Amino acid sequence: MVPKKEISMFPDMGKWKRSQAYADYMGFILTLNEGVKGKKLTCEYKVSETIEKLLVLLGTLDRWIDETPPEDQPSRFGNKAYRTWYAKLDQEAEGLVAAVIPEDKAAAAPEIAVYLKEAVGNSTRIDYGTGHEAAFAIFLCCLCKIGALRVDDQLAIIFKVFDRYLVVMRKLQKTYRMEPAGSQGVWGLDDFQFLPFIWGSSQFVDHPTLEPKHFVDEKVVNENHHDYMFLECIKFINEMKTGPFAEHSNQLWNISAVPTWSKVNQGLIRMYKAECLEKFPVIQHFKFGSLISIQPVKP
């Protein structure tokens, strides 16, 4: 079925938190969080055919950015060329998804394509935020549900696919000067992302030398970002923002004072639930269908 919005008023939030969708989504995030624990981006893991196809899909989105240069316009933010780029995805999404999933599951393409289109930002507001990021995680979760991705794809889902997705999103954000959606400014964790901080902190659990206090050191970031998603995020922040880190990224600065990575990881999961998954302005845009269901969890 084609997914649609179900959370239209604040009281509907209870329906979301009791839903199969919420349980499946959190389960997916936490399973992957366990899977990457203590592992580097550069470690050995299996890369299946579906993973390869997803990388081709993301490569296509990347190429379209190159083919759609930003327009000259008076306002600095929200370049209108993004809408041209988005219109192409809007048109092609079903075909892109159909090329990734097994032929016998072709009927699921229209439903899953909705989440791909939701995962790259909003073409009206030319903004991007954690709700869009969540849609990409839901897109991947759907691929698991139909059996296109399997349990042994876990590491590749994050280290190959999600990592490549982040590269494309950063390029979109930079090229079209996208606005942060629902950003809390200096009080938020990051203008655009959240999940790579969760999974990225899990990668560091029990690391012999690197502690949370080290990620504010640019030398550490530059030497280790190829191995750790968390540091890739910090590197991008350092490229995009000027001034003292403690001022432009206050929440992350505070996190650097937490003694262990496992405490950071647990704290970020709690914060993600509170700041993203329990916030009506984020959840009102979520869409529910047969794969990601608003029905209550069966007892």
Side-chain angles (χ1 to χ4, degrees):
M1 79 195 245
V2 176
K4 61 183 201 303
K5 294 180 182 180
E6 298 278 1
I7 311 297
S8 53
M9 296 179 303
F10 187 75
D12 296 334
M13 288 295 284
K15 191 163 71 166
W16 150 243
K17 284 203 277 193
R18 287 189 298 273
S19 71
Q20 191 61 51
Y22 184 89
D24 289 347
Y25 182 73
M26 262 335 283
F28 183 68
I29 300 302
L30 295 175
T31 301
L32 292 171
N33 187 59
E34 279 303 307
V36 298
K37 202 162 271 185
K39 296 194 170 69
K40 292 181 177 184
L41 288 169
T42 49
C43 74
E44 295 281 309
Y45 50 82
K46 180 189 139 221
V47 178
S48 66
E49 196 185 342
T50 304
I51 296 287
E52 295 286 9
K53 288 175 176 174
L54 283 165
L55 296 174
V56 170
L57 184 158
L58 291 165
T60 302
L61 301 189
D62 195 336
R63 192 182 74 244
W64 289 347
I65 303 174
D66 295 333
E67 292 167 5
T68 319
E71 293 174 13
D72 283 332
Q73 60 176 50
S75 73
R76 233 172 93 223
F77 287 97
N79 194 286
K80 291 183 176 57
Y82 172 78
R83 293 186 179 137
T84 311
W85 178 89
Y86 186 89
K88 202 164 174 62
L89 172 62
D90 197 33
Q91 214 180 332
E92 309 276 344
E94 265 184 53
L96 290 171
V97 172
V100 168
I101 61 179
E103 274 177 37
D104 61 334
K105 298 282 192 289
E111 179 166 352
I112 298 174
V114 168
Y115 298 111
L116 179 62
K117 291 190 281 191
E118 296 276 318
V120 296
N122 181 287
S123 65
T124 310
R125 297 186 302 273
I126 314 185
D127 65 5
Y128 176 95
T130 48
H132 302 112
E133 177 190 75
F136 191 71
I138 290 173
F139 166 72
L140 296 171
C141 184
C142 288
L143 294 176
C144 291
K145 284 197 147 205
I146 64 163
L149 291 171
R150 303 206 163 87
V151 176
D152 58 0
D153 287 317
Q154 271 183 41
L155 284 177
I157 286 173
I158 298 195
F159 291 172
K160 274 268 190 260
V161 180
F162 195 80
D163 201 56
R164 183 76 176 93
Y165 163 76
L166 289 175
V167 171
V168 179
M169 291 309 106
R170 287 175 189 137
K171 188 166 170 178
L172 277 178
Q173 290 153 14
K174 226 170 168 173
T175 305
Y176 303 122
R177 300 301 299 268
M178 296 178 77
E179 298 267 19
S183 158
Q184 295 152 318
V186 72
W187 301 113
L189 185 68
D190 177 77
D191 281 345
F192 298 111
Q193 314 299 156
F194 204 118
L195 291 174
F197 292 97
I198 294 178
W199 295 329
S201 60
S202 181
Q203 282 184 275
F204 274 126
V205 170
D206 296 332
H207 193 284
T209 53
L210 293 177
E211 295 170 28
K213 66 180 179 200
H214 291 118
F215 76 74
V216 290
D217 177 344
E218 252 180 89
K219 187 170 176 286
V220 171
V221 173
N222 293 333
E223 285 171 6
N224 297 283
H225 71 92
H226 297 297
D227 283 326
Y228 296 101
M229 197 173 253
F230 196 100
L231 300 183
E232 285 187 329
C233 293
I234 302 295
K235 185 171 180 284
F236 186 63
I237 291 172
N238 289 339
E239 284 167 17
M240 299 295 278
K241 308 224 169 188
T242 52
F245 191 87
E247 285 177 25
H248 62 62
S249 302
N250 190 263
Q251 279 280 25
L252 283 165
W253 177 260
N254 292 338
I255 286 168
S256 73
V258 175
T260 67
W261 283 109
S262 73
K263 280 214 161 40
V264 170
N265 186 242
Q266 289 156 8
L268 286 173
I269 290 165
R270 277 198 305 275
M271 185 176 168
Y272 185 62
K273 286 180 180 170
E275 299 299 324
C276 302
L277 301 185
E278 293 176 11
K279 287 280 189 276
F280 175 71
V282 176
I283 302 306
Q284 65 174 338
H285 301 295
F286 273 36
K287 292 182 178 173
F288 302 87
S290 67
L291 292 167
I292 299 296
S293 167
I294 193 65
Q295 295 307 317
V297 173
K298 293 181 182 71

